[in-house]
Amino acid sequence: MGFGTVFSLGLVALVAFLAGPISHFVQITGVFFTPNSTVLGESQGPIYIEDTIHCEDVHHYRPANLLFTACEDNKNIRFSWFPPLGHLLPLTAQGSIHVVDPKTMKSTRLAFENFQGPFVTHGIDVIEDPEQSNAVYIYAVNHMPNPAYFEAGEPKGVHKSQSQIELFHHILNSDSIRHVRSINHPLIKTPNDIYAISPISFYVTNDHSNREGPMRLIEAVWRSAKWSDIIHVQIAGLTSKDAPIEASVALTGLWNNNGLGHGRSENEVIISSAMGGEVFLATRQSNHTISINTSVSVGALADNPSYYDDPYSTDSHDASGYLVAGVSQAIRLLGSQDPNAAVPIPVQVWYMTHNSRTGVWEKKVLFEDDGSRISTASAAVLVPIEPKVGGKKLAWLFVTGFMSNSMVAVQVEL
């Protein structure tokens, strides 16, 4: 552990002490938490999905029963250049988009068409092509280094990162993906996750107001630093890569808002506050603003959320609910940046259902690991298993992380 890490830990502790409440800081960072690993039966896994290195986000595209994820592919990149963690040494490569078949548990890396340069992956979203039912559009965050900084002698007042959004088009069951255009705007500063509305309209979270420095660290630990926001972006059209872009603030006033997910209805938005350990259910309005309806707290850092719509629901058992994956000992993220010496980072996946009769949110840890099976978890989705008559309600849980060696699948009971 170097001086910089020791200094960071000391500053984190000081700010947390001054900001309070200390109990929340202790819980989310997991300072005194003892990680446990979920005991799995012989048929429950884990199954490790090959060629899924450092895939931060995953989405289940239900119409085709396929999973989509964006991966870094190289174990060294995250430890040198990954602006969301404050790693700003410009070692980059071109990450990739993968399709995972939940039936075969195999990953297919898609070949890029018309796309060159760095692709430092983060959040994604997948929506159907409204004009081609066997195709999808994929929005993906790209944390590029800023050439204006690194190639111009590191001038003052210029940011190191030039994070932007990439839009791709993919024909299902093909082995390639076509780049449609890049999307950048001054309001897109620290993008984390995306909520797609259409091929020309989406929301994106800025998880911090500050890209680096002491103020960014304060944002991470001070509950009143509610400076993150969600931006709505509208593209004039897709006939030109230079079609004008309009952007506006859709929601502000949240602490470290992070992941976005589609909810129960067309207009429901799921938002997570990472260091807040909260999941918010919100509604998008006709003027593109977002209003929050309720929140649910979990006992760990909350990353990308998702909603599971139970296709086998009955009057007696509807397993539909919300998932959020996260790190249960966030303090370990301040450890070594050497990929060969990195400590395992424990994870939890929370599952939340709403009891309509009592009005109570029922929460449980659906999967937990000490970091030996999967280190870091930032997204999780459920893929249903058709139940046997009178049998248990089961599903495959897919979990991935921004510094995990591979996505894992485990069978769970709902």
Side-chain angles (χ1 to χ4, degrees), residues 43-289:
S43 62
Q44 290 181 280
I47 296 173
Y48 298 94
I49 311 300
E50 294 183 4
D51 193 28
T52 53
I53 298 172
H54 295 183
C55 309
E56 195 271 349
D57 198 5
V58 61
H59 285 262
H60 182 208
Y61 184 65
R62 290 284 292 270
N65 191 30
L66 294 171
L67 306 181
F68 286 85
T69 186
C71 307
E72 201 58 61
D73 301 326
N74 186 320
K75 294 181 181 179
N76 295 308
I77 301 300
R78 283 282 193 262
F79 294 89
S80 60
W81 177 265
F82 192 53
L85 289 178
H87 300 172
L88 296 169
L89 299 175
L91 171 64
T92 62
Q94 189 176 68
S96 56
I97 304 291
H98 294 237
V99 179
V100 177
D101 187 335
K103 293 182 179 179
T104 64
M105 301 292 181
K106 301 294 183 182
S107 171
T108 299
R109 186 187 298 215
L110 301 177
F112 286 124
E113 299 176 19
N114 194 34
F115 185 59
Q116 303 294 328
F119 181 37
V120 182
T121 62
H122 204 169
I124 67 169
D125 201 5
V126 183
I127 57 168
E128 183 181 20
D129 180 345
E131 298 179 355
Q132 193 173 355
S133 60
N134 68 329
V136 294
Y137 282 96
I138 302 174
Y139 284 102
V141 173
N142 183 6
H143 292 293
M144 296 173 54
N146 187 357
Y149 180 88
F150 292 102
E151 297 175 9
E154 304 180 2
K156 291 184 178 180
V158 178
H159 299 295
K160 295 178 182 177
S161 62
Q162 182 183 294
S163 299
Q164 60 188 33
I165 312 301
E166 311 293 351
L167 178 60
F168 299 96
H169 186 265
H170 170 66
I171 297 175
L172 297 172
N173 300 313
S174 71
D175 58 3
S176 64
I177 187 168
R178 177 176 59 87
H179 185 245
V180 178
R181 66 164 296 165
S182 298
I183 302 160
N184 48 63
H185 190 276
L187 288 180
I188 303 174
K189 299 181 295 183
T190 57
N192 186 304
D193 201 13
I194 299 168
Y195 178 110
I197 303 170
S198 75
I200 58 171
S201 179
F202 65 94
Y203 294 99
V204 57
T205 54
N206 284 313
D207 55 26
H208 289 78
S209 177
N210 299 275
R211 289 177 169 89
E212 59 180 316
M215 292 302 292
R216 180 184 174 92
L217 186 59
I218 289 173
E219 279 192 78
V221 297
W222 187 30
R223 289 181 64 89
S224 296
K226 298 180 178 181
W227 308 327
S228 60
D229 54 26
I230 298 176
I231 304 301
H232 175 259
V233 179
Q234 185 76 38
I235 309 169
L238 298 180
T239 56
S240 168
K241 288 181 176 288
D242 299 318
I245 296 169
E246 294 183 359
S248 59
V249 177
L251 179 66
T252 190
L254 294 182
W255 178 31
N256 191 204
N257 71 186
N258 188 286
L260 292 173
H262 295 262
R264 294 165 294 186
S265 65
E266 181 181 348
N267 292 322
E268 185 171 71
V269 184
I270 319 169
I271 309 166
S272 67
S273 166
M275 286 301 295
E278 285 186 279
V279 175
F280 299 92
L281 303 185
T283 303
R284 58 185 182 94
Q285 307 295 333
S286 58
N287 63 355
H288 303 307
T289 60

